[in-house]
Amino acid sequence: MKVLFTGGLGYIGSHTAVEVLNEGFDVVIVDNLSNSKIGVLDTIKKLTGKDVGFYQIDVCDKDALEKVFQENPDIFAVIHFAGYKAVGESVREPLMYYENNMISTFNLLRMMEKYNCKNIIFSSSATVYAQSEIMPLEETFPLAATNPYGRTKLFNEHVLIDYQNVHKDTNVILLRYFNPIGAHDSGLLGEDPNGIPNNLMPYICKVAVGELDHLNVFGNDYKTKDGTGVRDYIHVVDLADGHVKALQKVVREPETGLKIYNLGTGVGYSVLDIVNTFNEVNGDLVKYEIAARRPGDIDECYASSKLAEEEIGFKATKTLADMCRSSYEYQKNNKKK
Ligand code: NAD
Ligand code: UD1
């Protein structure tokens, strides 16, 4: 069975490609390399011993995408990872975000409609949830987005739900990821953002290898156990497994319809938990200073993944120590020379 990955050379897509190939599916990747490197393709092949189809195209280029569907008339499912994901950049360049993240989805759905592809799994985010006093977040909780990036995720969810509403024989699974960190055990795949990272674990890793001096902890006066922000960090390989489980569901149950699942661990860790665990498992490498709050941040956010566990058998198994160890291993391999 052939699965089309959009954005399949990126951080989450590449880890998912490895797991999906290892489960015996065929994989075709399309990626425009706007936030990834072509070398990742060889790494995926090397780690799995499998061949992988690849097109360097922009999903917003409808003609180029159509060629992929023409040349692969047997695409069983699409996993749609392609998109821009930096919140701050989305505030500065809203049109760029709306264009890329929305037009890519419109084009994909048009092609699925035309070439009779009946399954799509979409990369959504915990960011679609409205602020809540109640934790853990369940899939039925109110939704609201506070920045252009978040709105593209929310709008995409609506577009996919509306599409499924009139294409009842199409299965749509929206996966709301919490905070993916960690890297493949081989140390060959991982996350390596350009420039100074915005997100916590990439920043910590760059401090650990000496590329940045120290971590600024954004606020220690939140309503949490130690005052620092609490999030639901999930190992990217566990997250990848969530996609395998979603694919297996639509294989098993062709009448799945619309499903929405949180992918998290259900456990919240604070910024200081992360720093302390990182230092415990990797050696005392990360110094930090308490700094001002980052605008827009919330006290805590963690998932209920009960629904995904009950309906698709998803359960995160890796520990925070695994996440810290593998993130650092990958960063060491990618240390700027
Ligand atoms: P990433 O940037 O590493 O991967 C995205 C990939 O898509 C990149 O390889 C990029 O080159 C490609 N791409 C972007 N626009 C494209 C286009 N128009 N045509 C073809 N390729 C295109 O990001 P990631 O962390 O792997 O995230 C994957 C998806 O998951 C994104 O949609 C993101 O919004 C979503 N998500 C990520 C996180 C996170 O924390 N990483 C959390 C929630 C949701
Ligand atoms: C980020 C995204 C959000 C996405 C979510 C899940 C931003 C602004 N938001 O949110 O859209 O849905 O990931 O992937 O990018 N922190 C520091 N110092 C740092 C960096 C972060 O103290 O240098 C703290 C933050 O205040 C927060 C925690 O670490 O409490 C996690 O931050 P981050 O990794 O950016 O993730 P989120 O804020 O959850």
Side-chain angles (χ1 to χ4, degrees), residues 45-326:
K45 291 181 187 170
K46 185 171 149 191
L47 290 172
T48 59
K50 305 265 172 70
D51 202 17
V52 180
F54 178 66
Y55 295 82
Q56 185 178 338
I57 63 152
D58 192 318
V59 186
C60 296
D61 178 345
K62 202 168 172 186
D63 294 338
L65 186 64
E66 176 141 26
K67 194 158 168 273
V68 176
F69 276 82
Q70 279 167 349
E71 292 181 1
N72 298 274
D74 53 342
I75 293 170
F76 166 75
V78 176
I79 312 185
H80 184 24
F81 297 100
Y84 296 147
K85 62 167 182 176
V87 173
E89 186 180 54
S90 82
V91 174
R92 293 190 299 276
E93 298 277 357
L95 283 184
M96 189 173 111
Y97 271 67
Y98 288 121
E99 281 172 354
N100 195 43
N101 292 7
M102 300 310 302
I103 293 173
S104 55
T105 306
F106 299 151
N107 286 350
L108 258 182
L109 290 176
R110 281 291 181 206
M111 290 305 119
M112 288 177 60
E113 193 176 39
K114 188 163 174 186
Y115 292 89
N116 216 21
C117 176
K118 304 284 185 203
N119 301 287
I120 180 164
I121 296 171
F122 175 68
S123 301
S124 189
S125 167
T127 198
V128 299
Y129 287 108
Q131 269 202 45
S132 170
E133 289 296 313
I134 305 166
M135 291 289 155
L137 295 167
E138 293 176 14
E139 287 82 352
T140 50
F141 278 24
L143 305 179
T146 54
N147 56 68
Y149 166 69
R151 276 188 277 276
T152 69
K153 291 291 153 191
L154 197 50
F155 295 164
N156 265 301
E157 287 203 359
H158 286 301
V159 167
L160 285 155
I161 291 167
D162 288 343
Y163 179 88
Q164 202 280 330
N165 192 37
V166 291
H167 296 76
K168 296 283 188 206
D169 57 346
T170 297
N171 300 315
V172 170
I173 301 191
L174 309 178
L175 297 179
R176 294 183 181 148
Y177 311 155
F178 280 66
N179 290 51
I181 58 171
H184 194 262
D185 269 348
S186 63
L188 299 175
L189 289 176
E191 185 178 24
D192 192 16
N194 292 329
I196 296 179
N198 296 307
N199 299 114
L200 181 63
M201 184 55 88
Y203 200 105
I204 286 179
C205 286
K206 292 217 184 266
V207 174
V209 295
E211 284 176 32
L212 294 168
D213 180 64
H214 69 276
L215 172 74
N216 288 306
V217 174
F218 296 147
N220 65 348
D221 56 355
Y222 284 103
K223 276 186 270 153
T224 60
K225 59 175 181 173
D226 61 21
T228 66
V230 165
R231 299 290 184 274
D232 187 338
Y233 298 92
I234 175 169
H235 196 296
V236 67
V237 175
D238 279 331
L239 191 70
D241 179 57
H243 296 74
V244 171
K245 297 284 195 302
L247 269 178
Q248 288 169 336
K249 182 172 178 76
V250 295
V251 171
R252 214 173 42 241
E253 295 169 32
E255 293 182 8
T256 292
L258 170 71
K259 293 287 175 185
I260 305 176
Y261 300 120
N262 287 338
L263 293 183
T265 65
V267 180
Y269 288 112
S270 72
V271 177
L272 294 183
D273 286 334
I274 305 284
V275 177
N276 292 336
T277 305
F278 191 98
N279 281 337
E280 266 163 39
V281 299
N282 296 319
D284 237 352
L285 298 167
V286 179
K287 290 181 293 176
Y288 67 86
E289 287 175 12
I290 304 299
R293 285 183 176 206
R294 181 172 66 180
D297 276 354
I298 52 175
D299 302 82
E300 53 178 15
C301 169
Y302 53 94
S304 164
S305 275
K306 241 174 60 199
L307 195 64
E309 185 174 350
E310 284 165 9
E311 296 196 1
I312 59 174
F314 166 76
K315 192 148 184 60
T317 58
K318 296 195 182 275
T319 63
L320 183 57
D322 296 330
M323 302 184 218
C324 292
R325 202 176 293 115
S326 61

